[in-house]
Amino acid sequence: MGFITATADRLTIRNFTEMASLIRTLGASGFRRFATYRQATVAATVTNSVFGLLRTYVMLAVSAAATAVGATAAGYTGPQLVLYVWAGQGLIGVVMLWGWTDLADRVRSGDVVIDLLRPVDPVFAFLAADFGRAAYAMLTRFAVPMVTGALIFDMYLPHRPATYPLFLVSVVLATVVCFACRFLANATCYWLLDYRGVGMAWAVFSGLCGGLFFPIRFLPDWAAALLWFGTPGPSLLQAPLDVLTERDGWPVQLGMLGVQAAWAVLLLWLCRVVQRRAERKLVVQGG
Amino acid sequence: MNIIEAYDLRKEFDIRVRAGRFKRERRTVAAVAGVDLVVQRGEMLGYLGPNGAGKSTTLKMLTGVLHPSGGRVSVCGLAPVPQRTTLARRIGVVFGQRSQLWWDLPLRDSFELLRHIYRVPAAEHAARLRRCRDLLDLDAFLDIPVRQLSLGQRMRGELTAALLHGPQILFLDEPTIGLDVVSKQAVRGFLAELGAKGDTTIVLTTHDLADIERLCRRIVVIDHGRVVHDGTIEALHARYGSQRRLVAELDEVPATLPDLPGVRLESAEGGRLTFAVDRTAPIGTLVSQLTATGVLRDLSVTEPEIETVIARLYRHTPAPR
Amino acid sequence: MAERLRIYRELVRAQVRGQASYRLSFTLDLLGNLLFFGSDLLAVLVVFRQVPALGGFTLRETLVVFGLAATGFALSDLFVGNIERMKTYVRTGLLDAVLIRPLGVLGQLLALDVGVRRIGRVVYSVLLLVVALRAADVPLTPVRVLMLVLTPLCGAVFFGAFFIATSTVAFWWVESGELSSSLTYGGRDFTAYPMPVYGTWLRRLFGFTLGFGFVAYYPSLVVLGRADPLGGPAWLSWTGPAVAALAAAAAWLIWRTGVRHYRSTGS
C-alpha cells in the first residue's frame, strides 16, 4: 500500500508529465461518461429551469417589496437576483450538489478493493474524472438555464471584464470543494455502511448553507460569517454566484476566492487522510 | 387438451439508434417474430435459445405482462393481457433473476401474504406449503428475512411461492441461474417430481442444458425470434446428425481396422481407438469386429453432448436481415 | 370489495413490519424529515427577514398558506409518494412481478412500498399549521374549521394525482431522472407562497391550468378572512374538492394509458 501512495506522492518532472496525461485521460473519460447520459441531462435541465422560474418570482417579489419601503434585498437589485437564481440552478449540475454516490456504491458492493489495486490515488482519480464531468455540465446544464433565464427575465450581465475569469476560477474551486465534501460524505460508508442518513444531512446542508435556497446575505451578518468561515457551505454556490452578480467590488471577489481556495486545500487534505485510514481498515480487517 | 396455444406470436420493439452525431433513427426490432407454440396439459417443455433470442419476451406475453404485437395467444383458455387477474390465479411464475418475495420479511411471512393475495383457503395453502417444505428443505430458513438467504435458498423460496396457489402452469425463467451444484440438484429433483405427477404443466427457459436433459422430453429452440426446433432431444440429435463416441482399448494395435458405414476412426493411440459413430450405424457389428481383432480390455460409449448440438443449431440459423 | 381491502391492509402491514426491522434507519428518516421540513420553513423565514410582506401577505399569513400546502403534500407523500420510484420498479422488474399477481397494479405498487418513514412530515406540517393559525390570530368559526379539515385532504388527493400521473413518465422514458419532481415538488414549492407572489403567466400555468392555486392559496383566503388581491370571486375558495376530483380522474386515465404503453413496449 505504501508503495502505491508513494509513487503518487513524489513529483518529479517525468512524473509530472505522466500525471498531466493521466489527468487528461481521466477527465476525458468523465466528460464522455456524462455525455452519454444525454436524456438524463435534458431531464435535469428542465427540472432546474422549473425550480428556477419559481425561485425567480419569489426573489423578484422580495426585491419589489424591499424597494417599495426604500431598501434593497440584502444589497442585490432585481436583475442581480434573477442572475443569482438562474446561475445557481445551472451550477447545481456543475458542482454536482446532489446525486453522487459512486464511492458509497463501490464501498458497499466491495468494488472499492479494485480501486486500491490501481496505481493511482483514488481521491486523485475521482477528482480528475469529476473535472471532466463538470466541464460537460458547464456546457449543458449551466448554459441552458442561463439562456432560459435571460430570455424570460430582465437579467443582470456582469459589466467588469475581470469578473468572467474570476467566476471561472471560482467555479473550479467550488467544484473541488463540492467534490471533497461529497467524497467525505461518501467515505463515511467505510464505517457506517448506510449512506442514507449522511446523504440526507448533506442534501439539506448544501442547499441551505450553499446559498441555493436563499442568498446567505439574507441571514444576519454573524450567521453569514459563521457559515463562510466555519463551514464549506458558501464556497459551494454562494461564492461563484456573488462573484458573478458583482454585488461587491473586486477586493471582496478576490477574498471569496481566497476562502474557497483555503477550503479546497483543507478538504482535499482531509480526503487523503480519510482515504488512507479507510485503506488501512480495508487492508487490516479485510473490509 | 391444449393448455397453451400461441399462433404466429409476435413482439416488435421500437428502438432508437444513433445515426451520426446528432441524428437518431427509429428502428423496429422483432424480438419474437412469429412463434407457434402448442403445449398440452401436463407437458414439461424446455424453451431454449441464445441470449436475446426472445425467450423472456415470449414468457412475458404468455403470462400477461406484455401485450403481443401480433398473433393469437391463449393460456388456460384465457387471453393473457385482458384477463390478467383471472389468469394470474392459474399460473405460477418464477423469474430467476428477480424476486417476488418480500425482501425484509421472513420467508414464512411472504408465503402468508401470498395466501391473501391469491385468496387460497387456509387448509389448501397449509397442505401445499407442507409438501414444499418437505421436498425443498425449507424448514431451516423459513424464519430468516429473505435478504439474508443464499441464492439457492431464495430460489427454493421462489419456487414455493409460485406454487402455493396450485397453478395449472408453472413458468420458470432460468430458475437455476447462478446456483451451486447442490442447489441445482435440489431444484431439478423437485421439478422432476412435480412434472411426474402430471397435473402441472411446466415451461422452462434455461441456459443450463443439464436442466433440459434431466427434465424435459420436449424442447423448443428459438433463435432470432423464430422457432428453429420443436421436438424431442432425440429428434434434435437425429436432425443434426450428432454422433456417439466409442472408445475401445485393445491389447495391441490391430492389423486391420473395422470399416463400416457411418463409423469413422477419430484417433488411435497405441491400442486406444476412438470412433465417431452415426446414430444409424450398426454399433453391435463394430463391437464384435473389434473383439475379433484382439483382446478387448475396455469399452465405453458416450452419448453426444447436447451443448455441441445446440451450439451447432445456433450457428445454423442465419440472422434475418 | 371488503375482501380486496383486507388484502391491501395485509400488504401494507407487511410493508410496515419490514421497515420497522430497520430501526436505526427509521429514526434517521424521522430526523431527515425534520431537517428537510425545517430547511423549507427556514427558507420562508429568511426571505421574510428582508421584507415585511410578500405579495401583500405577512409572514404569519404566508405560514398559514405554507402549512395548508405542506400538510396536504405530506399526506399524499405518505400514501403515494413512493410511486416516484417508478423508474426503479421498471428497472428492477418489480413491475413485472406485480403484473403476474391477481390484483390491480397501482394498488399493489402503492401498498408494497408505503412510506411510513415519511410520517414525520405529516406531524411537523400539522404542528406548523396549528402554530401559524395561533400566530395569525384567526378566530375559528365552523366554516373555517370545515375549510381547515377539507383543504389538506383535497390537497393530498391533488398532489397524489400528480405523483401518479408524473410517475407514468417512466413507462415512456426510464432515464427521465428528476423530471417528474419538477411538477410534484415544483408544485409544492409553488403552493408554499401566496399566488400574488408569482407573475401572471406562471399563475395561469401553475395556479389555474395545472390547478395548484386551489390547493392552499384560495382555501387560505377563507381561513384568513381576506379577499383575493388578484380579484378572483369568493367561490373559488370552495373549488378544492372539485379540482382534486378532476385531477384524480385525469391521473387515473394517464396511469391506465401508461400501463397499456408499458405492456406494448416492455422495459
Side-chain angles (χ1 to χ4, degrees), chain C residues 17-137:
Chain C
R17 237 178 312 151
Q19 283 191 15
S21 70
Y22 298 94
R23 201 157 303 163
L24 177 70
S25 182
F26 186 74
T27 320
L28 258 174
D29 276 312
L30 283 187
L31 261 168
N33 288 168
L34 186 60
L35 277 178
F36 279 113
F37 184 78
S39 75
D40 288 345
L41 181 61
L42 193 65
V44 177
L45 296 178
V46 168
V47 161
F48 270 93
R49 260 182 52 82
Q50 300 296 316
V51 289
L54 213 54
F57 282 69
T58 64
L59 173 62
R60 289 167 183 196
E61 289 173 322
T62 303
L63 285 182
V64 171
V65 180
F66 182 95
L68 281 173
T71 310
F73 185 84
L75 279 173
S76 81
D77 199 24
L78 177 63
F79 292 108
V80 304
N82 75 288
I83 202 78
E84 71 182 350
R85 296 181 54 216
M86 197 65 214
K87 291 183 288 284
T88 322
Y89 299 158
V90 171
R91 213 176 306 130
T92 58
L94 180 70
L95 190 61
D96 291 346
V98 156
L99 275 164
I100 57 167
R101 290 193 190 137
L103 282 177
V105 179
L106 182 58
Q108 281 190 75
L109 286 178
L110 294 180
L112 280 178
D113 200 5
V114 82
V116 205
R117 54 170 71 128
R118 292 183 289 260
I119 198 148
R121 275 202 97 107
V122 180
V123 178
Y124 310 137
S125 309
V126 172
L127 280 177
L128 172 76
L129 184 58
V130 171
V131 172
L133 286 171
R134 296 290 299 274
D137 212 9

Side-chain angles (χ1 to χ4, degrees), chain C residues 132-198:
Chain C
L133 286 171
R134 296 290 299 274
D137 212 9
V138 175
L140 289 183
T141 62
V143 172
R144 281 182 177 154
V145 171
L146 175 66
M147 191 56 110
L148 281 171
V149 174
L150 204 58
T151 302
L153 294 181
C154 293
V157 173
F158 186 86
F159 279 119
F162 267 81
F163 267 119
I164 290 165
T166 55
S167 74
T168 59
V169 138
F171 290 130
W172 281 273
W173 189 9
V174 181
E175 276 185 72
S176 52
E178 301 294 301
L179 193 63
S180 307
S181 62
S182 64
L183 272 183
T184 48
Y185 291 85
R188 185 200 60 186
D189 283 9
F190 179 90
T191 52
Y193 287 96
M195 275 236 288
V197 166
Y198 304 106

Side-chain angles (χ1 to χ4, degrees), chain C residues 55-57 61 196 217-218 220-222 224-234 237:
Chain C
F57 282 69
E61 289 173 322
Y217 173 68
Y218 280 109
S220 76
L221 294 178
V222 169
L224 295 169
R226 294 185 49 152
D228 182 12
L230 300 169
S237 295

